[in-house]
Every structure is written in structure tokens, then in C-alpha cells.
Amino acid sequence: MYHLCKSIYMQATSKQEYSILLLGLDNAGKTTLLEQIKSIYSKDHHPNLRTVPTVGQNVSVIDLPELYLRIWDVGGQHSLRGLWQSYYSSCHAIVFVIDSSDVGDGDIESLSKRGDDDDEGRLGECKLVLEDVLQNEDTEGVPVLVLANKQDREDCVEVVRIKEGLVRRVFEGEKGQNVRDSRVLPLSALTGTGVKEAVEWICSRVKWNKESRPPVMR
Ligand SMILES: Nc1nc2c(ncn2[C@@H]2O[C@H](COP(=O)(O)OP(=O)(O)OP(=O)(O)O)[C@@H](O)[C@H]2O)c(=O)[nH]1
Ligand SMILES: [Mg+2]
């Protein structure tokens, strides 16, 4: 009886909490995105958009009406990427942020055909890093949201190109084999355009996936 009462009490007074992992190359815009999410969903938070490269991690808990999102923003520098995998088994969704102004023409098909003079930005690096995330067995089945960030910049590659030329090819390639729930959305973390749509997608997908990755009750 005690256990039944306790469980009813817990159901009535606690909320589900899901952990969200922000990944992507250094300078992609992860910390800027976290600042914007905090400013939109937490009262009295003024975003600090003058970010510095993250060494280690930032974490924030966003209190939404139905659930909590615990968002982990980790450093994207090469030397820090080895730490990412320690977050994989406990996360409920991965958000992979791409700098749309630093991926050449956004098409990995033509990567190897290019000459040395072609400016492909960090397209190849981005592809390898995304593949690495998808290949890890601890990310299997985890919903993945890819954000084509910096869409406010004139020199950005548009979202449809990043979706078709990079993300779809990686997901359908041999290294993206573990079929999962995914989406590609445009974003400007700097202006805040697309932040709400991203958060809404995350919320709907973590709830949908909660049988295989149950939330923590808080
Ligand atoms: N124009 C533009 N600049 C952006 C946008 N998002 C981020 N930036 C800029 O990109 C730079 C890097 O942003 P951060 O948010 O620090 O990048 P990060 O992914 O956290 O980088 P690391 O911590 O090194 O992994 C900063 O100068 C930001 O102001 C965007 O949407 N548009
Ligand atoms: Mg950062």
C-alpha cells in the first residue's frame, strides 16, 4: 500500500526529465543555441551571445509545462570530442549543429573529386564527425536533430542542400546504418530564428521514444 501511495504521489508531483546532447564541430554555434533556448524558456534570462570556445561542458535545465529538458553543451574542439561518448548512453536526443557557412557547397558526393583550390570548408570533417556519432552503439535508436545553423549569413548553404547533400547521404551510407528518427531544420542561433521549432521537435521525439529510453522522474 505504501508503495502504491508513493507511486501515485510521485506521478502527481513529479515531471519527466530528458537529457539532450548538443554536438557539432567547434564554432558551430552550440553554446549560442543553448543561450537562446534559456532566454526563450527561462524567465529573466538574458542571452550571453558573446560566447567563448567551450572547454568542458555547460548544462542547463529547461522547465517546460510537460517536462524538463536537461541540455548538455559540450566543447566541439578536436581534442574534446573524445569526451562526447561518455554522454551517449544517458541522452534521450542528440542535436548536431552545423555551421552552414563552413561546409563548402554542402555536397559530400563531390568531396573527393574536388581540386585543392576548391573551398570545401569543413565539410569533410563534419561528415566524419557525424558518422562517428551515428556509428557508436550507445547512440543507436536515439532521435537525431541536425540543425543547419547560421542561416542568417549571406554565405550560408541553404538547409535543403545540407539535408540532401550531406545529412541524407551520411544517414543512408554504410556508417549511418542504425535507422533512427531524424530531422534537419534551419537555424540562426544568433537571431533565435528556428529555436522554438527545434525545441518542439525534440520534445515530441523524446516522448515518442520513451519506451526505449525512459525519462528520469524529478
Ligand atoms: N552569424 C551567425 N553567427 C553565429 C550563429 N551561431 C553562432 N554564431 C557565432 O559563431 C561563433 C561560435 O559560436 P559558439 O556558440 O561559441 O560555438 P560552439 O559550437 O559552442 O563552439 P565550441 O564551444 O568551440 O564547440 C560565435 O562567434 C557566435 O557568435 C548564427 O546563427 N549566426
Ligand atoms: Mg561552445
Side-chain angles (χ1 to χ4, degrees):
M1 189 64 182
Y2 166 77
H3 292 291
L4 178 64
C5 290
K6 188 177 172 198
S7 131
I8 293 170
Y9 176 79
M10 287 292 285
Q11 286 286 341
T13 58
S14 56
K15 264 201 307 201
Q16 300 176 351
E17 180 184 283
Y18 295 91
S19 288
I20 312 304
L21 184 55
L22 304 185
L23 301 178
L25 304 187
D26 47 295
N27 203 50
K30 301 176 291 298
T31 305
T32 310
L33 171 62
L34 180 60
E35 282 297 313
Q36 289 286 15
I37 293 174
K38 286 195 287 186
S39 82
I40 293 173
Y41 293 98
S42 307
K43 273 190 217 127
D44 303 327
H45 180 82
H46 298 287
N48 171 16
L49 299 178
R50 303 180 69 165
T51 57
V52 292
T54 306
V55 180
Q57 63 177 39
N58 301 304
V59 60
S60 290
V61 178
I62 309 298
D63 185 0
L64 298 172
E66 260 189 277
L67 49 85
Y68 294 111
L69 291 182
R70 181 175 292 268
I71 306 182
W72 301 88
D73 160 35
V74 292
Q77 290 173 58
H78 193 273
S79 58
L80 300 170
R81 291 177 204 156
L83 301 171
W84 292 1
Q85 55 187 325
S86 57
Y87 297 83
Y88 292 164
S89 60
S90 55
C91 76
H92 297 90
I94 288 173
V95 178
F96 193 88
V97 183
I98 294 176
D99 178 347
S100 315
S101 64
D102 196 16
V103 286
D105 68 0
D107 188 357
I108 59 172
E109 189 77 336
S110 49
L111 261 182
S112 53
K113 297 178 202 146
R114 290 200 179 99
D116 288 345
D117 297 344
D118 292 336
D119 180 15
E120 61 194 35
R122 299 171 79 190
L123 180 62
E125 187 182 359
C126 199
K127 167 188 177 277
L128 292 175
V129 171
L130 180 56
E131 283 176 344
D132 215 50
V133 174
L134 300 180
Q135 274 186 102
N136 192 297
E137 60 181 20
D138 288 338
T139 66
E140 202 174 323
V142 176
V144 177
L145 175 61
V146 178
L147 293 174
N149 191 30
K150 307 199 185 180
Q151 289 291 312
D152 58 287
R153 285 185 56 140
E154 272 186 13
D155 58 347
C156 75
V157 171
E158 61 188 56
V159 63
V160 63
R161 193 146 181 96
I162 289 182
K163 183 177 173 182
E164 299 301 323
L166 169 61
V167 184
R168 203 148 73 92
R169 290 193 207 280
V170 169
F171 272 78
E172 289 176 0
E174 60 184 79
K175 293 181 176 163
Q177 70 278 75
N178 305 324
V179 178
R180 70 194 82 215
D181 201 6
S182 68
R183 186 84 193 263
V184 184
L185 289 174
L187 175 73
S188 168
L190 199 61
T191 65
T193 307
V195 174
K196 278 192 175 165
E197 290 79 358
V199 171
E200 279 161 18
W201 189 88
I202 293 165
C203 290
S204 82
R205 302 335 286 163
V206 292
K207 284 191 280 180
W208 190 78
N209 197 43
K210 74 176 181 188
E211 297 296 317
S212 44
R213 292 238 171 175
V216 175
M217 297 308 289
R218 293 257 183 249

